[in-house]
Amino acid sequence: MPDLFEEKNLKPMLIAENVEPFDNPDWIYELKWDGERCIAYLDPKGGTDLRNKRNIKMLLKVPELSEIHRQVRTPCILDGELMCLVDGKPDFSAIQRRSLMSNGFKIELEAKKHPATFIAFDILSLDGRDLTMQPLIERKKLLQKTVKENGRIAVSRYFEGTGTALFTLAKQQGLEGVVGKRKDSVYIQDKRTKDWKKIKNLLDDDFVVCGYIRKDNRMTSIILGQYDKEGVLRYKGHVTLGVGGKPFQRILEQPRAIHPPLEAPPGHGNEDVVWLAPTLVCTVKFMERTKSGGMRQPVFKGLREDKEPEECIEPKIREK
């Protein structure tokens, strides 16, 4: 049996599509943290190693977390969310901005201004023992016993049976939402199962950045795409982005596409697209989906360094 700690190539279990709030005594519920998913390999004698979903080392981006291995009693692997608090709430743009940084001095300044925190919500290995096939509720108990919390690492609190009340509270506080999980669920790497479900205040989804259209008032319209079941990139509309800041600069730096990566319908300025190689992923939040599959009131949330373009697939495929 492979040693998960030695291999350091664990792929996080995924969460199913958004559902309406519900209560069920066989489920637990916890807040959905608005950050970047990470796996933490912690050894109290050997140090901290943080990896995002693409298995890219993240500690250089969040050096303030380099000592969190001192908060565990034995070597372990934790699944959780890397996030920054701004005005007391998780701020996706803050951790996304950090992910794009490479200048050590600027990273240190940002770490002092908005220090990152790792919120652990699962434990997958403990002292060399693979826990992925144990029921979630048992893993939760082991997680609480293993981690000694401080300002840089915390354990996600959960509530049994009462998803509706927690969602109402999250909505009142302007938080992203809630995740519901079956108490007896096992941990299946890189799989999206209906044992874990999102209950989101605002919806969001990930798209491939396929091109851009220059607009007036220093704004740009980003062309969005997602893959269908045949692996063909399909047009999913636009989202508006200001021309300042690192995300837009990163988009400008992308290589131009020799041929359009997808077929866009006429109109909406699509004739003036600057087509790009489909290698960047962005997240867009919106109120709801239209009957045609579009989005109402889409807002650009940020670029994602932790996701491959091929992972951006149409919702109707993910729901199967």
Side-chain angles (χ1 to χ4, degrees):
M1 188 172 183
D3 188 321
L4 298 178
F5 199 98
E6 290 299 322
E7 288 193 345
K8 291 184 173 57
N9 191 30
L10 198 148
K11 299 184 182 301
M13 180 168 164
L14 306 176
I15 305 173
E17 289 306 296
N18 193 64
V19 298
E20 293 297 315
F22 67 98
D23 296 327
N24 190 317
D26 296 327
W27 289 63
I28 62 171
Y29 304 87
E30 54 195 324
L31 290 174
K32 188 176 190 307
W33 301 102
D34 198 7
E36 186 168 322
R37 188 85 173 269
C38 261
I39 301 293
Y41 300 87
L42 307 180
D43 185 340
K45 296 180 180 179
T48 296
D49 191 349
L50 291 174
R51 311 279 183 111
N52 69 12
K53 286 176 66 178
R54 294 172 65 182
N55 208 37
I56 295 171
K57 293 186 176 184
M58 295 296 294
L59 207 53
L60 286 175
K61 310 287 187 179
V62 286
E64 65 270 39
L65 300 187
S66 60
E67 298 296 315
I68 62 173
H69 61 280
R70 299 185 186 279
Q71 303 305 119
V72 299
R73 58 182 177 82
T74 190
C76 60
I77 303 175
L78 308 182
D79 187 1
E81 202 82 4
L82 195 60
M83 67 171 199
C84 293
L85 293 177
V86 177
D87 298 326
K89 294 181 180 179
D91 188 305
F92 180 79
S93 63
I95 194 63
Q96 178 254 343
R97 184 168 61 247
R98 189 80 73 87
S99 294
L100 296 175
M101 286 182 173
S102 57
N103 183 294
F105 178 70
K106 290 183 178 180
I107 289 173
E108 283 189 27
L109 289 179
E110 192 68 19
K112 291 177 181 177
K113 185 178 180 182
H114 299 304
T117 301
F118 182 74
I119 306 292
F121 50 70
D122 213 331
I123 183 167
L124 313 178
S125 173
L126 184 62
D127 202 17
R129 185 161 53 105
D130 186 343
L131 304 177
T132 57
M133 298 309 291
Q134 289 200 21
L136 172 64
I137 197 69
E138 297 302 320
R139 302 199 307 270
K140 284 285 192 183
K141 293 173 183 176
L142 287 171
L143 175 62
Q144 289 177 319
K145 293 177 181 178
T146 301
V147 176
K148 182 181 179 182
E149 297 177 304
N150 66 7
R152 303 281 63 84
I153 184 170
V155 174
S156 178
R157 303 302 191 264
Y158 65 90
F159 302 84
E160 299 188 37
T162 56
T164 305
L166 185 60
F167 176 77
T168 300
L169 179 62
K171 192 172 183 179
Q172 289 172 348
Q173 296 298 317
L175 300 175
E176 191 178 4
V178 170
V179 176
K181 301 176 181 178
R182 288 189 62 92
K183 291 180 180 179
D184 61 356
S185 61
V186 298
Y187 193 98
I188 306 174
Q189 290 191 55
D190 204 29
K191 296 294 182 184
R192 193 182 308 276
T193 82
K194 294 185 178 181
D195 287 342
W196 291 10
K197 296 181 179 181
K198 301 174 189 173
I199 309 169
K200 300 193 72 172
N201 182 14
L202 275 178
L203 300 176
D204 65 22
D205 207 351
D206 297 322
F207 299 87
V208 182
V209 176
C210 298
Y212 63 88
I213 305 166
R214 294 282 196 173
K215 299 288 187 179
D216 296 330
N217 303 320
R218 291 180 58 78
M219 301 301 285
T220 299
S221 190
I222 306 300
I223 303 293
L224 305 172
Q226 288 180 324
Y227 286 95
D228 65 14
K229 62 182 180 180
E230 276 83 33
V232 177
L233 199 53
R234 298 295 184 186
Y235 175 80
K236 295 299 174 182
H238 300 187
V239 67
T240 301
L241 172 66
V243 299
K246 276 188 171 293
F248 180 68
Q249 189 59 40
R250 184 74 189 280
I251 290 171
L252 282 186
E253 292 169 355
Q254 288 300 108
R256 302 287 179 90
I258 300 174
H259 304 289
L262 51 73
E263 184 178 344
H268 306 290
N270 287 339
E271 296 78 11
D272 302 316
V273 176
V274 176
W275 294 109
L276 301 175
T279 57
L280 273 186
V281 174
C282 73
T283 300
V284 177
K285 61 182 179 180
F286 51 95
M287 291 301 296
E288 61 181 350
R289 293 192 188 276
T290 64
K291 289 183 179 179
S292 63
M295 297 171 285
R296 295 193 193 280
Q297 301 180 31
V299 177
F300 182 87
K301 189 175 178 182
L303 296 176
R304 291 198 61 167
E305 294 293 301
D306 62 332
K307 194 161 189 176
E308 299 285 357
E310 293 75 18
E311 296 179 71
C312 300
I313 55 178
E314 295 177 325
K316 60 186 177 183
I317 302 172
R318 295 198 300 263
E319 290 168 4
K320 290 182 179 179

